């Protein structure tokens, strides 16, 4: 028997923005796998890199995320995906009159996921995509004849100027219309000068414009049922479709990707702070449940839900810090550049000091080798980008937030039993140490594109890299000991004292 959520989506059309992103792809996969009787999913897509939307859709369906789906369904299931050419950054979403008419006539559920996630983006693009893009989606919703619900995917960090936030709308310091007028009339230089005054306590234009967008959704809550879901940092899959699946390099999976290559060797984190991570499948399931929940109730006010873990199942790095390197060596990469050895540091200045020796200098040497051998140097650029972004990200690295989520917990507990199984988003059940084992394997498989069959060969290489790394360290610190003994005119008996002392001092970084 179908669940209530499955029954709701049966024979319904969904309009989805942001369908080619990390979260969007996962939403598509879950709908096709768990609600296969859906009538269709309209995917707002734009031509990109010379590829028409049909080509982009074909590429999307080749993503490994669909491997589980295709074990029970044929390729025909992808006929449910209906690409429509458009862009949230354009008037009328860039939809042709014919596509507008089709979408307006048929759509029953709207899921708005598209956004620019760039924390360093300036005001103009973030206003156009995050604020005006949401307004354009809402304008289209007002014309839909059979709209049952609209789910707006926001972010827990829209209220990051507060260290604790509830599931409610907080007042904006500026009106959306004033901000739009400023973008329409001022030059880029003038906007850059004005930005700090507009942001006030907001850390960047992303959180500022996402908060303004929430208030645009609220304006339409009396016209059709609207829910706002606020996920925190979205990480790889917990259970669905495969534990550890990810295509995102943000957050911990990005750290693990670089560490598994042997490139990232220091990580600035507060190991005793609570970090709010949320697996992508929990966000997907809650989003789809909210479509059903809002569509089967006669709400005429916006409902806000935190999709977060900080208060229901808080994660601290100290729960996994002693095991991360073990995971990297149990599931090593055949393509590793150096022996992985990740160390966590609790301050930015210590990270920067250590980074000179373990990131910057090795990157210069390895990039030089790549040039000599005809390869493409990239390590120095990577570490330079990380270095430059640290000051912007410091608030997010060393701040602890509490996002209270009683409405989300109540919704999870009130679901019918079958929906609790099919659309689980109760992260209180998640075991973080086990999850990080799965995430390490997911990073290996999906971000580094290394099949499990290559694991034996990778482990053999890992042993070789261990020996190489050990010999390299002995030579480096022996050389350093000799240089110090020579500089200070010390006797040869102090050679090893200097070498061992240098090693111990360096190990503090």
């Amino acid at each position: 028997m179908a669940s209530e959520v499955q029954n709701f989506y049966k024979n319904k059309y969904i309009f989805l923005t942001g369908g080619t992103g990390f979260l969007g792809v996962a939403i598509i996969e879950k709908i096709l796998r768990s609600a296969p009787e859906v009538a269709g999913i309209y995917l707002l897509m734009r031509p990109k890199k010379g590829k028409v939307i049909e080509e982009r859709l074909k590429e999307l369906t080749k993503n490994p995320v669909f491997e589980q789906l295709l074990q029970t369904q044929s390729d025909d299931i992808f006929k449910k995906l209906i690409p429509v050419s458009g862009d949230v950054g354009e008037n009328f979403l860039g939809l042709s009159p014919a596509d507008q008419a089709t979408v307006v006539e048929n759509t029953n559920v709207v899921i708005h996921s598209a956004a620019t996630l760039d924390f360093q983006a300036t005001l103009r693009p973030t206003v156009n995509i995050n604020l005006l893009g949401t307004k354009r989606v809402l304008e289209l919703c007002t014309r839909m004849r059979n709209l049952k619900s609209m789910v707006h995917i926001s972010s827990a960090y829209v209220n990051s100027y507060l260290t604790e936030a509830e599931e409610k709308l907080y007042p904006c310091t500026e009106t959306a219309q004033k901000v739009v007028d400023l973008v329409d009339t001022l030059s880029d230089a003038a906007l850059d000068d004005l930005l700090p005054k507009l942001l006030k306590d907001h850390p960047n234009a992303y959180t500022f414009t996402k908060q303004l967008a929430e208030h645009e959704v609220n304006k339409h809550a009396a016209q059709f049922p609207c829910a706002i879901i606020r996920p925190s940092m979205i990480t790889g899959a917990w259970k669905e479709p495969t534990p550890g699946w990810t295509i995102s390099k943000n957050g911990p999976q990005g750290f693990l990707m670089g560490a598994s290559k042997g490139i990232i060797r220091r990580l600035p984190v507060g190991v005793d702070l609570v970090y709010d991570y949320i697996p992508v499948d929990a966000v997907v399931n809650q989003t789809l449940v909210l479509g059903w929940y809002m569509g089967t109730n006669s709400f005429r006010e916006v409902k806000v839900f935190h999709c977060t873990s900080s208060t229901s199942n808080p994660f601290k790095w100290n729960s996994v810090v002693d095991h991360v390197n073990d995971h990297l060596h149990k599931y090593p990469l055949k393509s590793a550049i150096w022996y992985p050895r990740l160390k966590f540091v609790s301050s930015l200045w210590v990270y920067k000091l250590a980074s000179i020796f373990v990131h910057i200098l090795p990157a210069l040497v390895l990039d030089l080798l790549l040039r000599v051998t005809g390869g493409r140097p990239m390590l120095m650029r990577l570490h330079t980008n990380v270095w430059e972004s640290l000051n912007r990200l410091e608030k997010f690295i060393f701040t602890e937030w509490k996002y209270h989520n009683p409405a989300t917990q109540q919704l999870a507990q009130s679901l019918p039993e079958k929906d609790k199984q099919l659309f689980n988003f109760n992260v209180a059940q998640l075991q973080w140490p086990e999850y990080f084992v799965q995430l390490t394997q997911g990073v290996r498989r999906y971000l580094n594109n290394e099949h499990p069959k290559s694991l034996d060969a990778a482990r053999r290489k890992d042993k070789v890299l261990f020996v190489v790394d050990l010999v390299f360290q002995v030579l480096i610190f022996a050389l350093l000991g000799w240089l110090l003994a020579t500089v200070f005119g010390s006797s040869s008996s102090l050679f090893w004292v200097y070498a061992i002392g240098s090693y111990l001092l360096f190990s503090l970084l």
Side-chain angles (χ1 to χ4, degrees), residues 354-410:
S355 188
I356 295 171
F357 298 100
V358 301
H359 291 158
I360 304 301
L361 294 177
L364 288 170
V365 174
L366 290 170
D367 274 356
L368 179 61
L369 289 174
L370 285 170
R371 284 193 179 92
V372 171
T373 57
R376 184 167 63 92
M378 63 182 73
L379 298 180
M380 193 60 202
R381 185 175 70 251
L382 182 151
H383 288 302
T384 300
N385 289 339
V386 170
W387 187 286
E388 291 176 349
S389 67
L390 283 174
N391 290 332
R392 292 189 297 270
L393 296 175
E394 184 173 9
K395 178 181 178 68
F396 294 92
I397 296 172
F398 294 111
T399 301
E400 182 176 284
W401 283 281
K402 290 184 179 179
Y403 292 117
H404 300 283
N405 60 354
T408 289
Q409 293 187 50
Q410 183 178 355

Side-chain angles (χ1 to χ4, degrees), residues 162-164 272-275 316 395 398-402:
L162 302 170
T163 54
E164 292 193 45
D272 294 317
L273 296 177
V274 171
Y275 285 82
K316 294 183 179 181
K395 178 181 178 68
F398 294 111
T399 301
E400 182 176 284
W401 283 281
K402 290 184 179 179

Side-chain angles (χ1 to χ4, degrees), residues 234-281:
I234 303 177
T235 56
W238 169 25
K239 294 181 178 181
E240 301 179 77
T242 303
W245 172 81
T246 181
I247 56 173
S248 169
K249 298 175 185 176
N250 294 326
Q253 52 257 30
F255 307 151
L256 291 173
M257 181 183 180
S260 62
K261 289 276 191 182
I263 297 171
I264 301 297
R265 307 186 70 79
R266 295 293 184 273
L267 188 63
V269 295
V271 294
D272 294 317
L273 296 177
V274 171
Y275 285 82
D276 204 312
Y277 297 143
I278 191 75
V280 64
D281 45 334

